[in-house]
Amino acid sequence: MSSSKVYFTDFRTGREGLMHKMQRLANTAGINQIDFNNKYVAIKLHFGEYGNLSFLRHQYAKALADLIKELGGKPFLTDCNTLYVGCRKDALEHLDTAYANGFFPFATGCQVLIADGLKGTDEVYVPVQGGEYVKEAKIGRAIMDADVVLSLNHFKGHELAGFGGALKNIGMGCGSRAGKMEMHSSGKPRVLAKDCIGCKVCAKVCAHNAPQFDSGKAVIDPEKCVGCGRCLGECPMDAIIAAHDSDGRQLNYKIAEYTKAVLDGRPHFHISLICDVSPQCDCHSENDAPIIADVGMLASFDPVALDVACADLCNAQPILPNSKLAEVPHHHDHFIANHPNTDWRSCVEHAEKLGIGSREYELLRIK
């Protein structure tokens, strides 16, 4: 497969301002080649869990929405409800959180729609062409009703996928609650009894009452567990681990197949910002110190090439002191070092196999 073009710029601005620089990056990368005239445009992003401060600022969403309106489109910001306990598990709480974090219409210039409805059940069954693990993806209806899909994502670490980039923002993010359960269902964690202190933090974050404490230490009930992985990131002793290494890869395969379902048959474009690179996902109600310094903004029509380019740029950065990554043994890959039981490459490899994009890319730098 031939290489794809990925456009990159750093966060140096002079008098231009980052919002305008991101718009210029998008136009240089070709977003203005898409026919937006009178089209519904879904801007898929993460509104941030309440209490987390590493999610993208709402001004970036406004910059993208303003650009789409200039090009004749009708943008809306969107995400689907979450599977785990938190502030975004239904549309009412999700909207409250989005507004509290700055994503309200008067600040962003467009409306916010929770794509899978009030309870996460407003979904469309979408065939996955070439899917090996998913035959019909369960996608939030508002996203499937859109004419154009744009991804605006914060590039960061993730405890199950390795990192969260364009593919995860689309694949996992556009799945309804049932879709998220389908993607997570093969990944049932287990508890290392020798490390568990019985603090019950895992029980507090589990929406399905899976952690049990009959012996004083946690045991995950596999019949109740949906494999969302929230307990892995919350355990203060790192006593909860994925049951098998293959589970993480299968999650990534399903993310790629859900991405295929979302993007097939319509225009799409992707922007990733490498800043505040937290070791965990933005779904946590807290964020740790960044593991590397801010790198820049990237844009491409190809989400596979974009994710690989982001990973390569991150791995070229020195590790920041006083970060989680500074506490673990040196590794050639920051994201695998950050979460040793993950392998982010499985997602981009499977996505390339499905024809979503290419892992080969040409990085074009703009000032």
Side-chain angles (χ1 to χ4, degrees), residues 31-226:
I31 195 172
N32 48 17
Q33 298 171 14
I34 297 174
D35 178 13
F36 287 107
N37 190 37
N38 210 34
K39 301 289 196 306
Y40 292 108
V41 182
I43 300 177
K44 169 63 184 74
L45 76 166
H46 193 302
F47 297 117
E49 192 72 14
Y50 189 72
N52 187 305
L53 298 177
S54 67
F55 60 90
L56 293 183
R57 296 179 181 181
H58 69 269
Q59 287 90 344
Y60 291 114
K62 175 175 172 52
L64 185 54
D66 286 348
L67 176 59
I68 299 313
K69 288 189 289 185
E70 289 175 11
L71 295 172
K74 297 186 286 187
F76 62 94
L77 308 182
T78 192
D79 199 1
C80 285
N81 292 306
T82 60
L83 186 61
Y84 54 81
V85 172
C87 299
R88 297 177 300 120
K89 63 182 181 295
D90 63 61
L92 297 183
E93 291 187 357
H94 207 150
L95 286 171
D96 285 345
T97 302
Y99 294 164
N101 286 340
F103 297 94
F104 54 91
F106 293 111
T108 61
C110 66
Q111 296 294 330
V112 176
L113 298 178
I114 305 306
D116 58 344
L118 179 61
K119 298 181 180 180
T121 57
D122 190 12
E123 60 196 8
V124 178
Y125 286 73
V126 183
V128 181
Q129 298 298 321
E132 298 177 31
Y133 301 88
V134 179
K135 299 306 178 184
E136 283 188 324
K138 304 171 182 69
I139 308 297
R141 186 175 300 276
I143 290 168
M144 294 311 301
D145 283 345
D147 301 301
V148 182
V149 175
L150 305 181
S151 171
L152 176 62
N153 80 86
H154 170 224
F155 199 84
K156 68 282 182 187
H158 191 275
E159 53 271 27
L160 290 179
F163 63 65
L167 292 170
K168 186 176 182 300
N169 183 41
I170 303 161
M172 183 62 71
C174 292
S176 65
R177 295 196 80 197
K180 288 179 171 66
M181 187 176 296
E182 178 179 31
M183 282 181 272
H184 281 297
S185 62
S186 65
K188 304 295 178 68
R190 63 184 177 91
V191 179
L192 299 175
K194 64 181 179 63
D195 296 327
C196 177
I197 59 174
C199 65
K200 299 187 178 181
V201 169
C202 55
K204 293 178 182 178
V205 300
C206 181
H208 308 280
N209 197 33
Q212 303 294 310
F213 295 86
D214 294 340
S215 65
K217 295 194 174 189
V219 175
I220 306 296
D221 184 341
E223 296 301 316
K224 294 180 178 180
C225 176
V226 299

Side-chain angles (χ1 to χ4, degrees), residues 192 195 232-233 235-241 324:
L192 299 175
D195 296 327
L232 276 76
C235 179
M237 305 304 294
D238 293 325
I240 305 176
I241 62 172
K324 179 188 175 185

